[in-house]
Amino acid sequence: MDGELALWLGSLGESAREFLDALVAFGQTMLLPSRLQQIFVALALVPTAWLLSRGLGPRMEDWMRGLEGRAKWQLRLLIVLRRRLALILYVALIWIAVAVFATLYHFPSRRYVLVLVATISLAWLGIRLAAQLIRNRFVRNLVIWALSIWATLYYLGLLDETTVALDSVAVTFGEFRLSALAVIKALALTAALVTGARTLTLTSSRRIREVKDISPSVQELLVKLLRIGLYGAAFFIGLKAVGFDLTGLAVLSGAIGVGLGFGLQKVVSNLVSGVIILLDKSVKPGDVISLGDTFGWIEELGARYVSVVTRDGKEYLIPNEDLITGQVVNWSHTNDFVRLDIHFGTSYEDDPHLVRKVAVEAALGCDRVLKHRPAVCHITGFGDSSVDYILRFWITDPSGGLTNIRGNVYLALWDTFKAHGISIPFPQREVRVLNEALKVDTAPAPRQDSGSGPGQRPESGESSAN
């Protein structure tokens, strides 16, 4: 073991020495007077480009604000160019310097450093502009830095030495050797594949959702299967690029699957329920459902839950298992027609034929009530205080709310009944005493004594004659 460690450290030190020697040799070539002059010019153009960007930036922003009717991609491109204005100006200035030196000096060595810096800066600019296609900020920054380092080493001629140095940094597990170079290549390949998978998924998802012949639930299922397949392929290809043996991973994944089946039964149940929901098309995005006290429309079908948004803006994340095992009212499963009932009563003195007629007219006068599916009004019974009716009407937009349309119809009934003199009775009760009659004392009150003053009652036992 000690011998292997010493051998590994020796190879690592030798690779590091080769890299440092190449770096020192390159630095020594930069110490020539003609090349120091070029280095000074390249460095002097850095603050010059920065000052120019500070002066031209506000003017460019004012010009961009005045643009109207331009396509979004053009405006986004202008914003990206504004953010990279300093680098763009530096690239332009350094290439102008290259042209000036080519005119003044005929030997290519007199402009070698300027051409090298100009080429590297142009590569940096191209990398930063192309990386804007990646929307994830972390991945975008990672790609920018990785490609910028690679381009710099490539044009400096240090790529081979760097590759050897990174390959020497490795660890060995039996017959499997994992080097820093292999890890970097795997990460770069995986990042590229994930970016490509994401782009392909977004494009394919947009195309799938535009197909009207496929139901929304099947569309969601296809999108999820495509996303899982592409991202899974990118992950396994990245592992294969490192040299990882996928045979052992298959055995490990089987063991993990058994453990997940026992330990995460609810999670697996929700995942399977989500697939069943997508296949049987019982609910789909946009449906209006009622589950217990929750009433709202489905916003999204997730792998583990269904997102339901209510009228008050609350978003409920309902597990998929509840939609499979519980009772769900889907107001728009097969069609969008929804019938609503309203109960009311009128006085016995009102004509029931007139009541039914004006009630239907009041309902049809509301905005959301359908006209081609006529409303009906029926007598349901003779109550203690009123003749009872039920008014039925149809709507096609339950997502717009049910309580509000009922309230509008009630207000229309109130106004119509007032206009036709139809009264809405309230309970009245008449109290009768059925036992023996109450006894009322009618005897005259005793008179007061002659010697008594005003307001004094006679003493008990004295008669009024005394």
Side-chain angles (χ1 to χ4, degrees):
M1 184 66 182
D2 294 338
E4 293 180 358
L5 180 59
L7 182 61
W8 177 75
L9 291 177
S11 62
L12 178 60
E14 183 179 357
S15 301
R17 282 194 301 270
E18 291 178 357
F19 178 76
L20 291 177
D21 292 340
L23 190 61
V24 169
F26 177 79
Q28 289 176 352
T29 60
M30 296 291 108
L31 297 179
L32 298 175
S34 60
R35 296 190 175 182
L36 288 176
Q37 180 187 10
Q38 299 174 51
I39 294 174
F40 174 76
V41 172
L43 293 177
L45 291 178
V46 174
T48 305
W50 182 79
L51 292 175
L52 287 176
S53 66
R54 297 283 293 181
L56 296 177
R59 297 182 181 180
M60 184 177 180
E61 291 178 358
D62 295 338
W63 174 72
M64 290 167 55
R65 292 190 182 97
L67 298 178
E68 294 181 358
R70 297 294 183 92
K72 290 184 178 181
W73 69 269
Q74 295 178 354
L75 297 177
R76 291 175 180 173
L77 178 60
L78 291 175
I79 293 174
V80 172
L81 295 178
R82 169 64 185 91
R83 293 175 179 175
R84 306 296 180 184
L85 183 58
L87 183 56
I88 294 173
L89 292 174
Y90 181 79
V91 171
L93 291 176
I94 195 68
W95 280 108
I96 292 174
V98 169
V100 171
F101 271 65
T103 304
L104 296 177
Y105 308 102
H106 298 288
F107 297 101
S109 60
R110 301 302 297 270
R111 58 180 184 275
Y112 169 76
V113 176
L114 291 178
V115 172
L116 181 62
V117 175
T119 304
I120 293 175
S121 60
L122 182 60
W124 286 2
L125 178 60
I127 291 170
R128 280 156 176 75
L129 294 179
Q132 298 302 317
L133 299 175
I134 304 175
R135 296 192 176 184
N136 188 284
R137 179 174 296 181
F138 174 77
V139 177
R140 181 170 64 247
N141 293 332
L142 184 62
V143 169
I144 288 175
W145 281 102
L147 292 180
S148 298
I149 294 173
W150 179 87
T152 304
L153 294 174
Y154 175 79
Y155 287 111
L156 292 178
L158 300 174
L159 188 59
D160 294 336
E161 290 78 5
T162 306
T163 302
V164 173
L166 291 175
D167 187 63
S168 63
V169 181
V171 292
T172 304
F173 303 96
E175 298 180 356
F176 177 67
R177 183 177 182 273
L178 181 62
S179 64
L181 180 63
V183 172
I184 294 175
K185 287 183 177 181
L187 290 177
L189 180 60
T190 304
L193 291 174
V194 168
T195 303
R198 186 177 185 275
T199 304
L200 185 59
T201 300
L202 293 177
T203 305
S204 303
S205 301
R206 194 179 303 111
R207 296 288 181 86
I208 291 173
R209 290 190 172 96
E210 290 176 357
V211 180
K212 302 300 181 182
D213 297 335
I214 304 177
S215 63
S217 58
V218 177
Q219 291 178 2
E220 292 293 331
L221 178 60
L222 293 176
V223 170
K224 292 183 184 303
L225 291 177
L226 181 63
R227 183 180 293 115
I228 293 173
L230 291 176
Y231 282 107
F235 174 73
F236 287 113
I237 292 175
L239 289 179
K240 190 66 177 177
V242 181
F244 190 84
D245 188 7
L246 298 181
T247 305
L249 184 62
V251 178
L252 179 63
S253 61
I256 294 176
V258 174
L260 290 177
F262 288 102
L264 300 176
Q265 294 183 10
K266 285 294 184 181
V267 176
V268 176
S269 175
N270 285 320
L271 292 175
V272 175
S273 300
V275 176
I276 294 175
I277 289 173
L278 293 175
L279 289 176
D280 65 6
K281 308 176 186 178
S282 56
V283 294
K284 57 185 179 297
D287 282 356
V288 181
I289 66 171
S290 297
L291 182 64
D293 297 333
T294 304
F295 173 83
W297 59 91
I298 297 177
E299 183 73 16
E300 180 184 0
L301 294 177
R304 187 184 58 85
Y305 59 85
V306 173
S307 173
V308 178
V309 180
T310 61
R311 292 279 298 170
D312 54 359
K314 295 180 180 178
E315 184 173 1
Y316 290 87
L317 304 180
I318 301 175
N320 292 328
E321 185 182 6
D322 293 350
L323 274 72
I324 295 295
T325 59
Q327 182 178 1
V328 181
V329 179
N330 192 336
W331 294 81
S332 54
H333 178 48
T334 56
N335 54 64
D336 295 330
F337 295 106
V338 176
R339 193 189 73 181
L340 300 180
D341 298 341
I342 284 182
H343 299 270
F344 65 93
T346 61
S347 173
Y348 277 95
E349 298 179 358
D350 297 323
D351 184 8
H353 302 284
L354 178 62
V355 172
R356 294 177 59 195
K357 178 181 177 182
V358 299
V360 171
E361 293 176 353
L364 295 178
C366 297
D367 293 335
R368 294 171 55 192
V369 177
L370 298 182
K371 307 299 186 296
H372 61 276
R373 283 204 171 193
V376 294
C377 184
H378 301 292
I379 296 178
T380 58
F382 299 105
D384 296 338
S385 303
S386 64
V387 180
D388 299 327
Y389 299 86
I390 182 172
L391 175 63
R392 292 173 171 172
F393 55 92
W394 295 84
I395 63 173
T396 56
D397 53 348
S399 60
L402 303 180
T403 304
N404 52 4
I405 184 60
R406 284 195 180 101
N408 293 336
V409 174
Y410 272 124
L411 287 176
L413 286 176
W414 178 274
D415 297 335
T416 303
F417 288 170
K418 286 291 184 181
H420 291 81
I422 299 174
S423 60
I424 301 176
F426 54 89
Q428 300 183 25
R429 299 290 183 265
E430 180 180 324
V431 179
R432 294 185 180 182
V433 180
L434 300 180
N435 297 331
E436 59 184 28
L438 298 177
K439 296 180 179 180
V440 181
D441 187 7
T442 58
R447 297 180 180 179
Q448 57 185 357
D449 186 35
S450 59
S452 302
Q456 295 181 352
R457 294 179 179 272
E459 297 181 358
S460 59
E462 293 182 359
S463 64
S464 58
N466 295 332

